[in-house]
């Protein structure tokens, strides 16, 4: 049976569509502008002001200069290693902690949870953290970007809330059949938590992909640099060349195009991952944010 909308409801729906369409355009246009600018001719781009709806003199010069850097492919390889290994370990450790705190019969559960929550507001600081990594021999090692960041308190709380929403009858039945905690977690809890686990993959993946500060702080060997540090070097070196180069305006124009190309190189790979997780994302966020 089709429900007929009143005149007021139709007006409300139309206004909603107009507002949401405007918001979509506002959100998408900056990305479109960057993409079109990265494919534009440098000199034409510098003389352009206002909206950019298509490339100005289609040109791949900026991308050629970015990929001419021999460290780009090495940076991609390092980032993929840190991303894949880091996300796997992050999910395992976060799931173990979330499962522990989702159980009702844990001794000292509240005091332990308060200690963990304390770390969200206070920490030892950057220098003590660096000295700790040094004592653990993780300086100039990719493991220094993986092991110390294996659990996010915020993500663990979201995952714990999701685990708590799973009926106790399922775990109790598994215990009666002789299942241990690891069996319950990996064969019952996690298969029922695909949506929230997809959200965790996205959260941890984006964080690792965009991370550059600690990589630039603890890594000494350029062969170990992840992509974001390499791209940062490209941006800085091009800015310096633009300021000191003899080409004047031409150097500045090329540097501007390279900035846009660098943004696209850093952003496009992670954008391709999102569509595969999008169908789980909304559901997973709601499950983890609202306790049933």
């Amino acid at each position: 049976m089709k429900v007929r909308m009143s005149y007021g409801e139709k007006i409300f729906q139309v206004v909603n569509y107009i507002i949401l369409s405007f918001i979509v355009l506002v959100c998408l246009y900056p990305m479109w502008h960057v993409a079109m600018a990265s494919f534009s001719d440098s000199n034409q781009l510098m003389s352009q002001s206002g909206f950019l709806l298509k490339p100005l003199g289609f040109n791949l010069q900026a991308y050629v200069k970015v990929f001419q850097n021999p460290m780009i492919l090495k940076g991609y390889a390092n980032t993929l290693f840190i991303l894949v290994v880091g996300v796997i370990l992050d999910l395992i450790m976060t799931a173990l902690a979330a499962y522990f705190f989702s159980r009702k019969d844990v001794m000292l559960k509240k005091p332990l949870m308060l200690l963990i929550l304390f770390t969200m507001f206070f920490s030892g600081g950057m220098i003590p953290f660096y000295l700790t990594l040094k004592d653990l021999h993780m300086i100039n090692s990719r493991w220094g970007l993986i092991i110390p960041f294996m659990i996010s308190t915020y993500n663990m709380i979201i995952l714990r809330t999701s685990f708590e929403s799973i009926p106790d009858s399922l775990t109790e039945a598994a215990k009666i059949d002789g299942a241990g905690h690891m069996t319950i977690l990996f064969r019952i809890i996690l298969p029922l938590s695909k949506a929230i686990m997809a959200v965790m993959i996205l959260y941890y993946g984006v964080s690792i992909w965009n991370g550059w500060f600690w990589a630039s702080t603890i890594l000494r060997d350029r062969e170990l640099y992840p992509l974001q540090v390499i791209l940062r070097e490209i941006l800085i070196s091009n800015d310096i060349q633009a300021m000191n180069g003899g080409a004047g305006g031409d150097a500045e124009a090329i540097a501007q195009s390279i900035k846009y190309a660098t943004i696209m190189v850093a952003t496009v790979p992670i954008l391709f991952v999102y569509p595969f997780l999008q169908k789980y994302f909304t559901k997973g966020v709601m499950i983890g944010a609202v306790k049933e």
Side-chain angles (χ1 to χ4, degrees):
M1 180 178 176
K2 188 175 180 180
V3 179
R4 296 183 61 182
M5 292 190 298
S6 66
Y7 183 72
E9 288 174 333
K10 290 180 180 179
I11 294 177
F12 178 76
Q13 191 174 47
V14 170
V15 172
N16 267 348
Y17 281 136
I18 293 173
I19 294 174
L20 291 174
S21 299
F22 176 75
I23 292 174
V24 168
L25 289 175
V26 170
C27 293
L28 290 181
Y29 176 73
M31 188 180 301
W32 179 261
H33 181 95
V34 171
M36 295 302 100
S38 68
F39 291 113
S40 297
D41 178 76
S42 307
N43 295 317
Q44 292 186 46
L45 182 63
M46 285 295 291
S47 61
Q48 166 71 16
S49 61
F51 290 100
L52 185 62
L53 301 179
K54 63 179 182 178
L56 301 174
F58 186 83
N59 195 317
L60 296 176
Q61 182 183 12
Y63 286 97
V64 171
K65 286 189 174 295
V66 169
F67 284 102
Q68 276 179 347
N69 190 312
M71 288 299 297
I72 285 290
L73 294 180
K74 191 67 177 179
Y76 263 115
N78 290 329
T79 296
L80 287 176
F81 174 82
I82 297 170
L83 182 67
V84 174
V85 176
V87 169
I88 291 173
L89 292 178
D90 292 348
L91 291 178
I92 292 173
M93 298 303 295
T94 305
L96 290 173
Y99 175 77
F100 175 82
F101 285 106
S102 67
R103 300 304 90 193
K104 295 180 179 179
D105 55 350
V106 174
M107 292 182 60
L108 303 176
K109 178 179 175 179
K110 288 186 177 180
L112 290 174
M113 195 65 207
L114 287 174
L115 288 175
I116 292 177
L117 287 173
F118 183 83
T119 64
M120 294 183 67
F121 303 99
F122 303 97
S123 67
M126 184 171 65
I127 294 177
F129 182 74
Y130 177 87
L131 294 176
T132 301
L133 292 181
K134 184 177 180 181
D135 291 340
L136 294 174
H137 304 289
M138 290 186 183
I139 299 299
N140 200 33
S141 170
R142 288 179 296 189
W143 292 105
L145 301 174
I146 298 174
I147 294 177
F149 305 98
M150 283 195 297
I151 295 182
S152 163
T153 302
Y154 175 79
N155 291 343
M156 189 273 288
I157 293 173
I158 293 177
L159 201 57
R160 182 205 62 176
T161 305
S162 175
F163 287 174
E164 288 177 342
S165 67
I166 297 175
D168 293 334
S169 57
L170 293 175
T171 58
E172 290 171 0
K175 288 180 180 178
I176 292 174
D177 291 338
H181 288 294
M182 291 295 101
T183 302
I184 293 173
L185 173 60
F186 288 101
R187 300 189 64 179
I188 297 177
I189 302 295
L190 291 183
L192 293 173
S193 306
K194 291 180 180 178
I196 191 64
M197 293 303 290
V199 174
M200 294 296 104
I201 291 174
L202 193 60
Y203 282 174
Y204 279 122
V206 171
S207 176
I208 292 173
W209 183 267
N210 290 330
W212 65 271
F213 176 76
W214 282 110
S216 63
T217 302
I218 69 175
L219 296 180
R220 300 288 180 267
D221 187 354
R222 295 188 78 255
E223 294 294 319
L224 300 176
Y225 281 1
L227 178 66
Q228 302 300 336
V229 178
I230 300 298
L231 296 179
R232 180 173 176 268
E233 283 189 345
I234 293 174
L235 290 175
I236 293 174
S237 63
N238 277 281
D239 283 343
I240 294 174
Q241 290 177 11
M243 289 187 294
N244 301 328
D250 290 340
E252 185 179 353
I254 294 173
Q256 191 73 9
S257 296
I258 291 176
K259 283 184 180 180
Y260 289 119
T262 302
I263 293 172
M264 294 302 298
V265 169
T267 306
V268 168
I270 204 70
L271 288 180
F272 278 121
V273 175
Y274 180 76
F276 297 100
L277 302 177
Q278 188 267 342
K279 63 180 180 180
Y280 301 107
F281 185 75
T282 304
K283 179 182 176 182
V285 170
M286 293 303 297
I287 290 175
V290 180
K291 184 176 180 180
E292 297 180 358

